Amino acid sequence: MSQVCYISGPRTYESYHDKNFLNKSFQIMNRTKLLHLASKGVRESASCIVVQKIGNGKLCNQNSHDYQLLFVKRHSNLKSWPGAMTFPGGVIDRLDMLKVKSFSQIYELPPLGFEKAPYSQLEQIYRETAVRELSEETAFPVTCDISHLIPWSIWQTPMSLKNRFNAIFYLMFINSKELNLIPQEGEIESIHWLSPSEALNDSTLTFAPPQINDIYKLSLFKSYNQLKKFAIHRNQKYKTIQTMPILVKFNDGVCAILSQDSFYQDALNLQLKDASQMVEVDATIEENSSGQMFLYRSGVSSIGNWYVLTNIEELEDGHRIPVMEMMSHE
């Protein structure tokens, strides 16, 4: 089972950006060096988060959501996250990169209108990749206009890991219908439709970290219509900003520190000293967390459960994190 923990009460977007609280932790330094190291060896990719409405708006098994998400279980022989549950997606083809004269990594996407297609030729490649990979991995009958894909998140693999990706995740909303999906041979073991609550509460499933964080955000919205309305509004008003976690090994476990966390700047400075090695800190997770004004980090507990430790209720890109009762990350 996965958990969201709140420490010292949730903080909002306004308090996060209040000039009285803003400090050097949030003014990410060494920008030039960071961008150079962050882009080194990174493969560009894109994924589709397919959201399917269930029947006539009836709640699914866990009695909390009236929609399900499409997951694929990666083949056990793959090098990257074997056996993990992910959203369908894959890397951008090199030939596609040649379509754009000055291909460069996307770090953020500006607010976009839903019915129009004001995105760049560069972003179009990511959108086309997301749809192509969805079709290849699941035999999904893709007929949607790629302009109707809604940007949800951008994740870059931590610098200390070998296989690294810069991935844009797009939402695709579909009405309830029977689909004859087929796993891609050699790549995908099985295909699953799960509600956010089903995904988070099944301890037998393994998810890659970006998926776990995005599922948490999706789980806040109980209805298909509510989620779609929020996604459109967020996409129109806010940027979609790249997140690059810093992996930190504490005395009692490993945490992925996200950029909104007060400790991120210190962790980043340590990471820049040796980008290939995981940052190590001589303290427990609780000891380090107790000294931070803002917390946003995730990891695996001592019993093997994913958790998100945070006191920020709304992020600067318009995303929210679901409020749950206080729970220990142990």
Side-chain angles (χ1 to χ4, degrees):
M1 179 177 178
S2 303
Q3 303 172 342
V4 174
C5 314
Y6 272 83
I7 307 298
S8 302
R11 299 178 187 270
T12 63
Y13 169 80
E14 285 75 17
S15 66
Y16 174 84
H17 282 276
D18 191 301
K19 63 182 179 181
N20 295 321
F21 292 108
L22 196 63
N23 56 47
K24 291 183 179 180
S25 295
F26 303 104
Q27 299 169 12
I28 305 303
M29 317 286 181
N30 300 312
R31 186 67 177 170
T32 302
K33 185 176 182 181
L34 171 62
L35 293 179
H36 173 71
L37 290 174
S39 302
K40 192 174 181 180
V42 172
R43 303 175 72 186
E44 301 303 310
S45 64
S47 295
C48 266
I49 304 175
V50 181
V51 184
Q52 178 177 243
K53 191 172 185 177
I54 300 174
N56 296 318
K58 295 180 180 180
L59 298 179
C60 57
N61 296 336
Q62 295 279 340
N63 197 34
S64 58
H65 297 90
D66 72 352
Y67 62 90
Q68 293 178 317
L69 308 172
L70 178 62
F71 293 96
V72 294
K73 183 176 182 181
R74 294 173 58 79
H75 203 282
S76 57
N77 64 3
L78 296 177
K79 292 182 179 180
S80 179
W81 289 97
M85 300 282 281
T86 65
F87 298 120
V91 297
I92 293 177
D93 190 279
R94 290 184 179 180
L95 293 178
D96 289 334
M97 293 184 183
L98 296 177
K99 295 177 183 178
V100 180
K101 293 181 179 179
S102 57
F103 190 94
S104 60
Q105 188 177 99
I106 289 182
Y107 296 99
E108 65 179 31
L109 298 175
L112 301 174
F114 182 59
E115 297 298 336
K116 300 179 181 179
Y119 49 82
S120 65
Q121 183 184 6
L122 175 58
E123 199 211 329
Q124 180 173 336
I125 293 175
Y126 286 83
R127 288 171 176 261
E128 291 173 348
T129 297
V131 171
R132 183 194 71 231
E133 291 293 327
L134 170 63
S135 179
E136 289 180 357
E137 292 187 348
T138 68
F140 189 97
V142 179
T143 58
C144 76
D145 184 339
I146 63 169
S147 68
H148 286 185
L149 295 179
I150 305 176
W152 182 254
S153 61
I154 307 175
W155 290 92
Q156 183 169 129
T157 309
M159 284 187 278
S160 56
L161 297 182
K162 291 183 178 180
N163 297 315
R164 303 186 60 225
F165 302 89
N166 184 61
I168 299 181
F169 290 81
Y170 293 96
L171 291 178
M172 175 191 288
F173 289 90
I174 64 172
N175 291 320
S176 178
K177 57 183 178 180
E178 292 294 327
L179 295 171
N180 183 27
L181 302 182
I182 304 171
Q184 182 180 14
E185 187 176 354
E187 296 284 335
I188 306 300
E189 287 191 355
S190 54
I191 297 172
H192 305 262
W193 287 102
L194 300 170
S195 72
S197 53
E198 287 173 325
L200 293 173
N201 289 317
D202 191 336
S203 60
T204 67
L205 302 177
T206 300
F207 294 91
Q211 277 78 10
I212 252 319
N213 280 277
D214 279 338
I215 296 168
Y216 273 124
K217 295 172 186 175
L218 291 163
S219 70
L220 176 65
F221 305 96
K222 303 303 181 184
S223 78
Y224 174 97
N225 292 336
Q226 183 186 26
L227 172 58
K228 187 173 182 179
K229 181 179 179 181
F230 170 80
I232 294 172
H233 172 74
R234 193 203 71 82
N235 188 52
Q236 291 172 334
K237 185 177 180 181
Y238 296 95
K239 293 179 179 180
T240 301
I241 304 171
Q242 182 198 71
T243 300
M244 189 190 71
I246 304 293
L247 289 182
V248 178
K249 184 178 182 181
F250 293 100
N251 293 340
D252 57 345
V254 176
C255 269
I257 308 297
L258 305 180
S259 59
Q260 296 85 358
D261 194 295
S262 298
F263 187 61
Y264 188 85
Q265 180 61 57
D266 292 335
L268 176 61
N269 288 337
L270 292 170
Q271 183 70 87
L272 291 176
K273 292 180 179 179
D274 187 348
S276 65
Q277 298 297 317
M278 186 182 300
V279 172
E280 295 189 16
V281 173
D282 186 17
T284 65
I285 296 172
E286 183 177 357
E287 288 170 345
N288 180 267
S289 299
S290 63
Q292 311 303 326
M293 178 175 293
F294 292 98
L295 288 170
Y296 191 25
R297 51 187 68 181
S298 63
V300 182
S301 71
S302 58
I303 59 175
N305 292 334
W306 281 101
Y307 66 87
V308 174
L309 189 64
T310 186
N311 61 3
I312 303 173
E313 190 174 19
E314 184 177 354
L315 305 178
E316 73 273 25
D317 60 1
H319 273 301
R320 304 178 208 161
I321 304 174
V323 177
M324 296 184 180
E325 62 182 271
M326 178 78 75
M327 293 183 285
S328 168
H329 69 273
E330 294 295 319

